[in-house]
Amino acid sequence: MKDKKVPVITIDGPSGAGKGTITQMLAIDLQWNILDSGALYRTLAYLMVQNEIDLLHFEENKEFVKEKFIVKFDPGIIGEPVRVVLNGEDITNKVRTEEIAKKTSFLAADPIIRHFIKPCQREFMKPPGLIADGRDMGTVIFKEAMHKFFLTASLEERAKRRQVQLKRQGSEVNMRLLLQELEDRDKKDIERQHSPLRPATNSVIIDTSNLTPEGVVEEIKKNL
Ligand code: C5P
């Protein structure tokens, strides 16, 4: 019952559509909590790699993983990625690599993983409110949310944004490879059986290709 009173804004969409920046700007503006569910999945993938746990052996290691999986998000500074803290350690740059992204996309397609992570996601719903960023925030995890948004942008624009992000982290980027990786990951997210990427029926769809982040926030605020 307590859950229901906490307002939630969901921001779903494909990689590079601007969800992270917009979520961060809104969270700072409204002073609400952040759930970066992509980063949560990435952190789980990272934890599994670190502890050499593969999908086949996830069930038998579930309690161990649960104990270690203490994740916090800090909105950080606008323009920089939302900070991801695992057990007190800032692992932001460790989870925001294309290698972890690929692994994450594979793990996130599995119902055992999605089932495990669902209650962890709901725990972020705390007063005064939550901005939840992901692929299925409005369709599955926070179906009851009052305000749902789905951000999109052209593949080229999204790849360009990802390139800037990766370069800032000091990673070398091959644009052709990046385009291919984004396209593959989107396809996997859209076509998977469990919680596929799609807009919630009651969501507002915003194409961010030709909008500044401030323009997107303005568009969202008009709909609150
Ligand atoms: O948003 P980000 O690129 O960090 O997400 C990494 C991957 O995590 C996505 O490609 C997707 O496969 C998965 N994911 C998901 N459901 C979410 C958020 C992310 O399946 N709600």
Side-chain angles (χ1 to χ4, degrees):
M1 285 307 285
K2 200 180 93 208
D3 271 6
K4 290 214 169 93
K5 293 196 189 105
V6 178
V8 178
I9 298 174
T10 62
I11 315 267
D12 288 309
S15 315
K19 305 184 303 289
T21 308
I22 301 308
T23 298
Q24 184 183 45
M25 288 170 78
L26 281 173
I28 292 173
D29 187 23
L30 300 170
Q31 293 283 298
W32 283 13
N33 300 296
I34 287 186
L35 163 62
D36 180 340
S37 62
L40 200 65
Y41 277 100
R42 285 170 186 260
T43 302
L44 183 59
Y46 171 79
L47 197 60
M48 287 170 70
V49 171
Q50 289 288 303
N51 291 282
E52 298 178 2
I53 299 167
D54 60 23
L55 194 50
L56 267 181
H57 298 95
F58 183 77
E59 277 294 351
E60 67 205 59
N61 287 291
K62 211 160 79 180
E63 287 314 308
F64 169 82
V65 175
K66 207 180 264 175
E67 239 172 69
K68 301 245 170 202
F69 197 51
I70 314 288
V71 185
K72 291 207 169 78
F73 296 110
D74 176 341
I77 300 163
I78 291 178
E80 285 183 15
V82 166
R83 310 307 298 173
V84 189
V85 179
L86 173 66
N87 274 316
E89 186 198 350
D90 187 329
I91 56 161
T92 312
N93 290 345
K94 291 182 181 162
V95 295
R96 297 203 190 274
T97 64
E98 280 305 299
E99 195 190 339
I100 286 287
K102 218 162 152 184
K103 173 104 194 149
T104 304
S105 186
F106 164 74
L107 287 174
D110 192 278
I112 294 177
I113 297 292
R114 301 202 79 84
H115 183 74
F116 171 84
I117 227 162
K118 185 172 179 181
C120 308
Q121 293 177 326
R122 300 255 335 159
E123 271 177 29
F124 284 88
M125 189 164 49
K126 292 199 177 117
L130 176 70
I131 326 267
D133 150 355
R135 305 290 190 290
D136 61 344
M137 299 295 98
T139 51
V140 179
I141 307 298
F142 301 106
K143 264 192 188 155
E144 76 280 23
M146 287 250 293
H147 301 290
K148 301 182 184 182
F149 297 90
F150 190 88
L151 306 188
T152 63
S154 66
L155 178 66
E156 289 69 24
E157 181 59 33
R158 293 189 290 115
K160 259 194 248 159
R161 291 175 186 169
R162 187 63 97 192
Q163 185 186 36
V164 171
Q165 214 175 62
L166 289 168
K167 271 197 174 156
R168 203 179 289 148
Q169 280 172 221
S171 310
E172 267 312 304
V173 190
N174 173 330
M175 195 55 178
R176 265 223 331 257
L177 200 65
L178 193 57
L179 272 168
Q180 191 58 53
E181 278 174 352
L182 266 188
E183 204 169 12
D184 290 350
R185 200 138 54 84
D186 286 350
K187 190 167 184 296
K188 202 164 170 26
D189 290 345
I190 290 166
E191 291 179 354
R192 72 182 174 212
Q193 190 191 346
H194 302 280
S195 306
L197 170 66
R198 59 178 171 80
T201 44
N202 51 348
S203 63
V204 175
I205 300 177
I206 302 174
D207 186 333
T208 69
S209 306
N210 298 309
L211 289 174
T212 59
E214 290 75 16
V216 180
V217 169
E218 202 177 301
E219 204 49 44
I220 288 181
K221 282 184 150 181
K222 267 193 229 157
N223 285 281
L224 292 181

